[in-house]
């Protein structure tokens, strides 16, 4: 069995599952987000288990509308009434997938669900994690379980060592560009090259599995992963390793040592990204580094490294959003935020805001944006007549300095 | 829910994403208002033309993207079912859970044309082009999943199981 098949089999109490099987599984952790409370919330009569639940305020914080503020009131009343201890209210909040990672809520061998499509981020920690709609997450909150149909798995074997300038974003964009969408498939990453890919990059890759329409995206719990988990959870876990004879829909090898930075063109990433040396050097109006995919501390460190002694080009807006309050504090203490602000970047509070075009950093018609966030759909970040390119924090920071899309290896720290 | 429905078809292409059906700005609006922005960029004005009982047909990878419940907007507009060559799984689950039948039928987007009238058998996963009887067959959804959608979606199930307070029992929730 593959990693996901192992986890689903264990969760449904079977020895084995096969592709196509429909199984009902206990869900180990379910995360509700603020939008759920702001849109369609009615308190339930009872819930399955408050200890297998977390509530995270992230998409629209601090509340940009009365509707969102009302959602906050409902969320606070709910956690009080039902004794949900894991409540991450404004000020101790973050984008849910960052909060999940920091608090060890995505655990090897377990199932995690949440009302956000990028919940697959948890796959970096050997978790079968996926986003579900608000009604289904509500239902899991009530019953503690849901169903899955076992999808075929595509295996990516990473070989070679990752060059320093190459990030998880580039690896993902290469995979998306080369192999296209993986609708109704799972992705599984592994191989000897994985040890050169740190956890922040693995999480970027896992997060973006949703962008090629995959179900679950998973990584093994290797030594790098276990070192991260040791720092974030003290509860024992049982990792899921793929069997040597696991049956894959395809096995593909990726040599990290020869990859160069990639840029996704506007609209979608599947079969729509190219090496940075081949991308049109468009002038940019806005650059964004943030979101659950790339608002991690390492992403902010990279941005600061690039911007130190440099300036954001005239006529360009650089928005930087830490993925959580904890990342914000760490970046503040490390001096990254000072460097970024002095260079002319706008550092925002932690929120999903600019990534989904809801309440900040929106684009006007005709504008060009390059983003290290999750998604580059038409209209995603504002006007449908804006164009959104997608790239790594290195490449986005380089564009902010140069005023146009460039190879980050051409831009040196000032 | 009727297992067999007849309706007018609206045809869309491959990889239509959730942000085109439920744009970020519409998430600020009540459902009745948000529903007026479905396909706002892809097919402006469509929400004035679609009528209750119509069927939305799309190509591959239908609904890639967000967890935002597009199905709720389709229900608001009276769309009777969505049929696609292939669904994004999150979009598929959202549809089922909101009580909107979703059926995968390979070849459908190449065979059924915009404004055709079609007969969809949700249980058997077949679609027939009414003017000449051309018939396509997909893989029926699992019984377990069919039961959720035929019962009106997850809220109806939760209400029946006593998880919801009395005042919204049986409404099938915001979805219908």
């Amino acid at each position: 069995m593959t990693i996901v098949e192992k986890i689903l089999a264990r969760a449904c109490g079977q020895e084995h599952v096969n592709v196509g099987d429909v199984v009902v599984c206990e869900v180990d952790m379910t995360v509700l987000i603020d939008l759920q409370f702001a849109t369609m919330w009615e308190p339930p009569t009872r819930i399955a288990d408050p200890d297998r639940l977390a509530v995270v305020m992230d998409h629209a914080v601090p509340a940009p509308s009365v509707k969102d503020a009302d959602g906050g009131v409902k969320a606070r009343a709910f956690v009080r009434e039902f004794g949900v201890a894991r409540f991450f209210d404004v000020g101790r909040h973050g984008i849910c997938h960052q909060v999940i990672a920091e608090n060890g809520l995505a655990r090897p061998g377990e199932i995690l669900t949440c009302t956000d499509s990028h919940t697959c981020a948890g796959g970096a920690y050997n978790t079968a994690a996926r986003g579900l709609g608000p009604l289904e997450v509500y239902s899991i909150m009530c019953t503690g379980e849901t169903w899955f149909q076992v999808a075929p798995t595509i295996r990516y074997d990473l070989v070679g060592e990752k060059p320093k300038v190459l990030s998880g974003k580039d690896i993902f964009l290469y995979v998306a560009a080369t192999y296209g969408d993986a609708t109704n498939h799972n992705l599984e990453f592994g191989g000897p090259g994985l040890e050169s890919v740190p956890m922040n990059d693995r999480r970027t890759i896992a997060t973006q599995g949703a962008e090629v329409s995959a179900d679950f995206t998973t990584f093994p719990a290797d030594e790098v992963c276990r070192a991260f988990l040791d720092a974030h959870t003290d509860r024992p876990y049982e990792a899921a390793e793929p069997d040597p004879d696991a049956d894959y829909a395809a096995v593909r090898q990726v040599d990290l040592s020869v990859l160069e930075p990639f840029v996704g063109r506007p609209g979608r990433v599947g079969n729509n990204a190219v090496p940075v040396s081949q991308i049109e050097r468009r002038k940019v109006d806005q650059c964004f580094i943030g979101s659950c995919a790339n608002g991690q501390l390492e992403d902010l460190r990279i941005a600061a490294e690039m911007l130190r002694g440099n300036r954001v080009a005239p006529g360009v807006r650089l928005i930087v959003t830490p993925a959580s309050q904890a990342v914000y504090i760490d970046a503040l203490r490390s001096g990254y935020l000072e460097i970024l602000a002095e260079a002319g970047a706008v550092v925002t509070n932690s929120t999903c805001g600019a990534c989904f075009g809801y309440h900040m950093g929106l684009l006007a018609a005709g504008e060009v944006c390059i983003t290290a966030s999750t998604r580059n759909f038409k209209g995603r970040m504002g006007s449908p007549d804006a164009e959104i390119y997608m790239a790594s924090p290195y490449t986005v920071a380089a564009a902010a300095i140069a005023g146009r899309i460039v190879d980050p290896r051409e831009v040196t720290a000032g | 829910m009727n297992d067999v429905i007849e309706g007018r078809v609206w045809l869309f292409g491959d990889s239509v994403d959730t942000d085109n059906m439920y744009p970020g700005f519409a998430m600020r609006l009540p459902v009745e208002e948000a529903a007026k922005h479905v396909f706002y960029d892809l097919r402006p004005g469509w929400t004035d033309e679609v009528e209750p009982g119509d069927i939305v047909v799309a190509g591959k990878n239908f609904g890639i993207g967000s967890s935002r419940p597009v199905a709720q907007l389709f229900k608001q507009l009276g769309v009777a079912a969505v049929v696609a060559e292939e669904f994004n799984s999150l979009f598929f689950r959202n549809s089922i859970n909101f009580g909107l039948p979703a059926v995968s039928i390979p070849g459908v987007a190449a065979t059924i044309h915009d404004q055709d009238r079609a007969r969809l058998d949700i249980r058997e996963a077949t679609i027939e082009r009414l003017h000449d009887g051309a018939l396509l067959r997909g893989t029926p959804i699992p019984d377990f999943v069919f039961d959720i959608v035929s019962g009106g979606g997850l809220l109806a199930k939760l209400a029946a199981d006593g998880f919801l307070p009395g005042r919204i029992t049986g409404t099938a929730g915001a979805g219908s």
Side-chain angles (χ1 to χ4, degrees):
Chain A
M1 290 188 285
T2 68
I3 290 176
V4 160
E5 288 162 5
K6 280 258 180 89
I7 298 173
L8 295 181
R10 194 187 296 159
C12 74
Q14 291 179 196
E15 284 282 305
H16 198 91
V17 296
N18 294 303
V19 168
D21 288 356
V22 176
V23 292
V24 175
C25 297
E26 284 260 307
V27 175
D28 296 286
M29 179 58 65
T30 298
V31 180
L32 302 177
I33 58 175
D34 53 352
L35 286 184
Q36 178 124 19
F37 294 91
T39 51
M40 51 188 309
W41 185 257
E42 286 291 341
T45 54
R46 61 185 194 276
I47 64 174
D49 182 357
D51 292 333
R52 287 192 287 151
L53 204 60
V55 175
V56 183
M57 306 298 285
D58 63 354
H59 274 65
V61 292
S65 72
V66 173
K67 181 184 175 195
D68 292 301
D70 286 341
V73 170
K74 292 174 187 169
R76 290 174 198 112
F78 169 71
V79 299
R80 245 191 337 267
E81 182 181 347
F82 288 88
V84 179
R86 292 188 179 93
F87 177 46
F88 301 92
D89 202 353
V90 181
R92 53 185 298 256
H93 73 293
I95 301 173
C96 56
H97 314 302
Q98 178 71 25
V99 170
I100 285 166
E102 287 169 1
N103 292 277
L105 304 184
R107 293 159 42 78
E110 296 188 356
I111 295 181
L112 167 79
T113 60
C114 164
T115 334
D116 183 273
S117 59
H118 294 110
T119 304
C120 42
Y125 315 105
N126 192 239
T127 309
R130 68 160 300 159
L132 296 169
L135 270 186
E136 187 164 358
V137 168
Y138 188 96
S139 172
I140 297 168
M141 171 189 77
C142 292
T143 66
E145 61 183 33
T146 195
W147 63 276
F148 298 104
Q149 185 160 29
V150 182
T153 298
I154 298 167
R155 167 85 179 183
Y156 285 97
D157 274 318
L158 307 182
V159 300
E161 190 173 339
K162 181 186 84 64
K164 179 176 171 290
V165 75
L166 200 77
S167 78
K169 193 70 130 204
D170 300 305
I171 298 168
F172 167 76
L173 287 171
Y174 164 79
V175 166
T178 308
Y179 299 105
D181 289 321
T183 315
N184 298 316
H185 285 72
N186 304 307
L187 307 182
E188 182 179 295
F189 287 82
L194 185 61
E195 65 180 2
S196 70
V197 182
M199 290 311 293
N200 65 293
D201 284 322
R202 296 184 194 185
R203 209 180 84 216
T204 305
I205 295 168
T207 303
Q208 302 232 228
E211 302 318 303
V212 288
S213 215
D215 285 7
F216 295 100
T217 298
T218 56
F219 286 75
D222 64 0
E223 283 183 27
V224 177
C225 181
R226 287 174 190 275
F228 176 91
L229 290 162
D230 285 348
H232 293 87
T233 181
D234 50 13
R235 289 185 292 142
Y237 52 78
E238 194 180 336
E241 298 301 324
D243 291 323
D245 65 347
D247 191 13
Y248 296 102
V251 179
R252 298 162 181 166
Q253 187 169 301
V254 178
D255 185 351
L256 301 176
S257 67
V258 298
L259 285 191
E260 66 166 301
F262 263 68
V263 180
R265 287 204 170 104
R268 59 201 313 275
V269 294
N271 300 124
N272 196 34
V274 295
V276 69
S277 57
Q278 295 172 26
I279 195 75
E280 50 277 12
R281 297 195 159 205
R282 296 287 299 278
K283 282 190 65 164
V284 294
D285 300 289
Q286 181 163 302
C287 305
F288 177 46
I289 297 172
S291 83
C292 49
N294 284 105
Q296 303 177 71
L297 186 64
E298 176 64 8
D299 300 313
L300 272 59
R301 187 197 67 73
I302 290 166
E305 177 188 310
M306 295 291 285
L307 268 299
R308 182 184 290 118
N310 277 316
R311 293 284 304 167
V312 175
V316 175
R317 310 180 297 272
L318 171 60
I319 299 173
V320 179
T321 299
S324 69
Q325 184 85 348
V327 170
Y328 188 106
I329 293 168
D330 287 344
L332 185 69
R333 286 186 179 140
S334 304
Y336 306 156
L337 302 189
E338 185 177 348
I339 293 168
L340 291 168
E342 279 188 346
V346 172
V347 180
T348 80
N349 62 291
S350 179
T351 176
C352 305
C355 176
F356 78 124
Y358 189 73
H359 64 99
M360 64 160 74
L362 273 74
L363 301 170
E367 288 197 314
V368 175
C369 174
I370 185 165
T371 188
S373 56
T374 62
R375 193 162 274 167
N376 63 339
F377 294 164
K378 196 169 192 242
R380 168 77 175 176
M381 298 173 73
S383 170
D385 299 316
E387 294 174 90
I388 308 168
Y389 289 82
M390 182 187 286
S392 74
Y394 272 119
T395 306
V396 172
I401 296 164
R404 58 181 63 247
I405 302 175
V406 293
D407 187 329
R409 293 166 296 189
E410 296 170 13
V411 178
T412 50
Chain B
M1 187 189 84
N2 293 325
D3 289 6
V4 180
I5 54 175
E6 280 184 21
R8 175 175 56 162
V9 165
W10 296 93
L11 182 66
F12 294 87
D14 290 340
S15 294
V16 177
D17 64 60
T18 51
D19 292 48
N20 212 301
M21 294 184 267
Y22 204 148
F25 67 83
M27 295 171 74
R28 288 171 169 271
L29 307 172
V31 169
E32 316 77 73
E33 291 297 314
K36 294 176 183 167
H37 300 284
V38 177
F39 301 126
Y40 76 110
D41 182 62
L42 195 62
R43 196 159 181 167
W46 177 76
T47 55
D48 295 329
E49 298 180 86
V50 66
E51 289 173 357
D54 288 355
I55 299 169
V56 169
V57 173
K60 290 189 171 150
N61 198 20
F62 187 43
I64 181 176
S66 166
S67 62
R68 57 189 75 167
V70 175
Q72 193 177 19
L73 305 189
F74 280 143
K75 294 284 282 190
Q76 177 70 31
L77 294 168
V79 171
V82 288
V83 183
E85 304 259 346
E86 170 191 72
F87 286 94
N88 167 277
S89 67
L90 173 49
F91 186 88
F92 175 81
R93 298 175 80 103
N94 250 334
S95 300
I96 297 297
N97 291 335
F98 277 88
L100 177 67
V103 186
S104 300
I105 302 180
V108 68
T111 305
I112 309 285
H113 301 106
D114 199 68
Q115 305 302 310
D116 277 353
R117 288 195 66 79
R119 181 183 295 119
L120 175 70
D121 187 322
I122 297 158
R123 190 78 196 88
E124 299 299 320
T126 61
I127 192 164
E128 182 184 351
R129 194 167 62 192
L130 283 184
H131 71 261
D132 66 356
L135 185 77
L136 289 169
R137 198 172 289 279
T139 308
I141 52 180
D143 291 345
F144 177 83
V145 179
F146 181 80
D147 290 345
I148 297 172
V149 72
S150 65
L154 268 185
L155 270 190
K157 194 168 186 299
L158 289 171
D161 293 341
F163 285 105
L164 301 181
R167 62 186 176 281
I168 58 169
T169 298
T171 64
S176 57

